[in-house]
Every structure is written in C-alpha cells, then in structure tokens.
C-alpha cells in the first residue's frame, strides 16, 4: 500500500496558524484540528498545550491601521491554548462507531477581548447491512473565533457550525455502486453586525461509480444545495436576502496509476442562482485535481490545483471564483521525527458576484499565499511535540491593502 501524507495541525490559538491549517492543503491530506486517531476499540482522553506568536493576528495592513483602531502601533500578539479532549473508537460486529470531543481555552496576551473557548464535537456511525449496503450517519459541532483574513475588527466574533449528515451506498454489482447522501449545515455568528452571514444549507447528492479491478474508481455525481440567509444584508441602501440554489454535475475519479501514485479529480458544471439578483448568478466549470506520490516509504508528496467558486472563508454572502495550487510534502526522517512542508497560492476573483458593485467589489480581488514548515517529534507513541513556522500574505489586485503575517507555534499533546 502506498505511503500517504499525514499532516499534523499545530494546536495553536494564533490566527495565522489556524487560517493556514484549515485551508493550506486539500482536506484529504489535512486532518481536522484537535482530532486524534485512537487505538481500535478504545476510549482515549488527551490533553494539550501550545504557545504561539503571530506578528499580525488581526491581518491589518500596517501600523497606521492599528493606530486607527486605537490599539497602538504594534500588530503582534502571543497566545496560549489549553486543550482537553476525548476520542472514542468502538466496533460492534460490523458496525464502527467513532467520536471526538474537545474543548480548548484560548488566551491572548495583548488582545484580551479575543479570549474564548474552542469547542468541537464529532460523532460517526459507519454502518453495514450485509455485504452490499453500507454508509455513515453522523453529526458535528464546532465553535471558535472567526479567522481574520477578511474580518479585521478587534471584536470576539464567535462562529458556530452544526452539521448533520447521512449517506449510503449499494454495491449492486461487483463493479458498480450507487450512492446518495443528505447533509444539513447551520452557520451562526455571535456579533450582531455579522448576523446577515448566518445561514442554513440543505444538500442532496446521488452518484454512480464504476469500481475497477485495479482499485480505481470512476463515477459521476449530482448535487443540489439550497442555502437560506434569514437576515438581510445592506446592499447600496437596499435589504438583500442572499439565499441561493446550486446544482452540480461532476465527474469523480480516484485513479491508482501505480503503487506509488494516485490521482484524484472532481469536476464538472456548476450553476448557482442567487435569490436576490440574477446578475450575481454563476454558471461554469468547477474542478479540483490532486496527485499523491510516494517515491519512498518515508516520503510523501501531494500536489493540488483547482478552479471553483466558494464562500470567502464564510465571512461574506457573496462568493469568489478561486484559482489556486498547493504542494505538501512530508518526510519521516526517523521513527520519532517527521518534517512537513506546505505551500499554497490562491487568486480570488469577486467579479462574478459583483452585483451592484457593493457586496462583491472588483477592488476586493486578491492573491493569498501561505507557507508552513513543521517539525514533529514523538518521544513516545502517546506524546507529540511540534514546532511550526507559518507565513501568510494577501495582495490586493486593484488598490492598497492586504497584509503580511509571520507566526511560530510550539505545541505538545499527550494521549492517555
């Protein structure tokens, strides 16, 4: 079996590390924060501590912007994070149950207004009915501070997301599988000024896959998403409800080229119709291609490229057309030491959602660059120590602004 990259996210409260960790590389090689893999059929408590320094956690343009906010000329801050969690793995006959519960206290040295608790809960039942039916039933809850990439106020903007999902597949032939799923998502912000971004999304998906004898999968999937934004947003003096309906027809391919190389592709036609204004509708191709390469048993590389529409870190009801690429590499230097390097480039174009020119302005078009380097040390199987350095920049394409941020984080975690 090919060696696959496992990238460990820093347990860090600094905004730079959180933003990069959440979106630096594709999620198929980036496990969620505060998630551990417990031993089979075990209940595993764990604790963690981290300290991080960020040169610009609020993602401000310069010292003048900081002075205008009344926080002095300094941009930097140091944070500490105290983590407590519980991971569960249980197998009952052919049924597999997993859960992870964690809470973290985050303290800022300068910007005490941002002190908060991160809360995460995820549970999944991987069910099996005979030899031909299987699927998942689960839910997740996450609460934490909103990233500052597109939000630059010194206010505690807590973001809460709830997910409930169910999916299943039927292997009706040794080489053919049909699948389907339902997902409900609710997104909520504490700040009154941000509540026009509150929304719920209902997603329905069906697909058909061909399972090749080589282990590759070739399929097609249809997806419909209905999004409702209950609180209107001000657009040039008008109250605008930003709900939408989105339909997708995409090919889904997982191709095992060799024992060392895998290709993953998801792409096709996407049509989004906004409730507020037809001028902000979108119709076009979305695609994402990635490749996993394992030249040796100790080195793994993942390369990705994409062109797709997406929310602006869920901080805006408009969308951007994103074009980008990322590279991640992990080197298992020794049994206890791993080196991980990651880079990402993304260009965001708000033109398709410009509407009246206020909610989605061409002046917002930008380029985001992120780089991270981590050294992971495992003194024992249960104890992990990680040192990470992160650099993030934003460059606006049509005007002044943007930011530069450099961060360093030291964290440790112990699983009992």
């Amino acid at each position: 079996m090919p060696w696959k990259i496992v990238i460990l996210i820093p347990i860090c409260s600094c905004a730079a590390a959180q933003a990069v960790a959440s979106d630096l590389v594709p999620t198929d090689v980036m496990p969620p924060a505060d998630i551990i893999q417990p031993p089979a059929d075990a209940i595993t408590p764990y604790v963690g501590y981290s300290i991080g320094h960020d040169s610009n956690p609020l993602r401000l343009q310069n010292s003048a912007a900081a002075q205008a906010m009344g926080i002095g000329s300094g941009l930097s801050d140091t944070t500490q994070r105290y983590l407590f969690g519980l991971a569960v793995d249980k197998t009952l006959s052919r049924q597999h149950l997993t859960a992870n519960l964690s809470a973290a206290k985050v303290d800022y040295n300068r910007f005490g207004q941002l002190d908060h608790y991160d809360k995460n809960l995820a549970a999944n039942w991987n069910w099996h009915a005979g030899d031909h039916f299987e699927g998942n039933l689960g839910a997740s809850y996450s609460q934490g501070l909103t990233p500052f990439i597109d939000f630059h106020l010194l206010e505690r903007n807590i973001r809460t997301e709830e997910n409930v999902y169910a999916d299943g597949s039927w292997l009706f032939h040794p080489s053919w599988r049909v699948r389907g799923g339902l997902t409900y998502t609710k997104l909520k912000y504490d700040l009154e000024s941000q509540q026009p971004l509150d929304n719920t999304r209902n997603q329905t998906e069906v697909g058909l896959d061909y399972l090749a004898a080589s282990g590759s999968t070739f399929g097609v999937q249809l997806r419909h998403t209905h999004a409702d934004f209950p609180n209107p947003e001000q657009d040039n003096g008008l109250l605008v409800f930003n709900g939408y309906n989105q339909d997708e027809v995409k090919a889904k391919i997982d191709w095992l080229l060799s024992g060392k190389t895998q290709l993953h592709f998801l792409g096709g036609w996407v049509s989004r119709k906004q409730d507020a204004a037809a001028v902000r509708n979108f119709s076009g191709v979305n695609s994402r291609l990635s490749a996993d390469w394992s030249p040796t048993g100790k080195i793994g590389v993942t390369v990705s490229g994409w062109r797709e529409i997406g929310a602006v870190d869920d901080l805006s009801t408009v969308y951007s057309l994103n074009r980008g690429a990322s590279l991640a590499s992990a080197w298992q230097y020794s049994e206890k030491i791993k080196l991980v390097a990651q880079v990402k480039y993304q260009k965001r174009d708000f033109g398709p959602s410009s509407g009246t020119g206020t909610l989605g302005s061409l002046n917002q078009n930008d380029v985001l660059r992120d780089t991270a380097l981590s050294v992971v040390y495992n003194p024992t199987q249960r104890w992990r120590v990680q040192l990470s350095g992160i650099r993030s920049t934003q460059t606006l394409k049509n005007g002044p602004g943007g930011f530069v941020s450099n961060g360093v984080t030291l964290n440790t975690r112990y699983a009992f």
Side-chain angles (χ1 to χ4, degrees), residues 52-258:
H53 182 80
D54 193 319
S55 67
N56 187 8
L58 299 181
R59 300 300 188 262
L60 300 177
Q61 180 183 358
N62 48 36
S63 297
Q67 290 176 331
M69 293 179 61
I71 60 175
S73 59
L75 302 177
S76 64
D77 201 358
T78 299
T79 55
Q80 298 184 73
R81 192 167 189 262
Y82 308 87
L83 171 71
F84 303 89
L86 183 70
V88 178
D89 185 292
K90 187 66 177 178
T91 300
L92 302 172
S93 183
R94 300 184 64 182
Q95 315 306 311
H96 187 202
L97 305 175
T98 56
N100 198 294
L101 171 67
S102 69
K105 185 177 185 294
V106 183
D107 294 329
Y108 284 72
N109 183 39
R110 290 184 59 210
F111 306 137
Q113 305 95 313
L114 302 179
D115 291 355
H116 65 282
Y117 287 89
D118 289 336
K119 303 174 185 177
N120 292 278
L121 170 64
N124 185 78
W125 169 27
N126 177 220
W127 58 266
H128 294 259
D131 296 329
H132 303 290
F133 295 91
E134 67 171 303
N136 296 278
L137 179 64
S140 65
Y141 174 92
S142 64
Q143 177 181 303
L145 195 65
T146 302
F148 289 94
I149 296 176
D150 297 288
F151 175 82
H152 308 289
L153 300 178
L154 185 55
E155 297 185 68
R156 188 171 57 186
N157 186 21
I158 299 298
R159 175 182 184 273
T160 302
E161 182 173 356
E162 304 171 14
N163 286 279
V164 180
Y165 60 89
D167 63 63
S169 66
W170 172 30
L171 188 66
F172 64 91
H173 183 277
S175 298
W176 291 94
R177 174 180 63 195
V178 63
R179 53 187 170 83
L182 302 171
T183 303
Y184 171 81
T185 302
K186 182 178 181 180
L187 195 62
K188 184 178 183 298
Y189 294 86
D190 279 358
L191 281 183
E192 183 176 353
S193 63
Q194 302 302 304
Q195 289 178 2
L197 311 178
D198 294 354
N199 67 83
T200 60
R201 298 191 299 273
N202 289 281
Q203 181 177 289
T204 306
E205 180 178 302
V206 294
L208 177 67
D209 298 324
Y210 171 71
L211 312 179
S214 63
S216 300
T217 303
F218 305 89
V220 62
Q221 67 182 38
L222 309 178
R223 177 184 292 175
H224 174 76
T225 303
H226 173 73
D228 179 47
F229 289 77
N231 304 314
E233 185 171 14
Q234 287 280 350
D235 182 6
N236 202 24
L238 300 176
L239 292 178
V240 177
F241 288 90
N242 289 286
Y244 64 85
N245 285 279
Q246 181 167 307
D247 293 294
E248 307 173 28
V249 181
K250 291 183 176 180
K252 186 176 187 297
I253 299 172
D254 294 300
W255 188 5
L256 304 182
L257 290 177
S258 69

Side-chain angles (χ1 to χ4, degrees), residues 261-283:
T261 307
Q262 303 178 31
L263 289 180
H264 310 280
F265 174 78
L266 179 62
W269 196 260
V270 174
S271 175
R272 174 183 287 199
K273 295 183 178 180
Q274 299 285 147
D275 293 345
V279 70
R280 290 165 55 190
N281 292 347
F282 175 87
S283 183

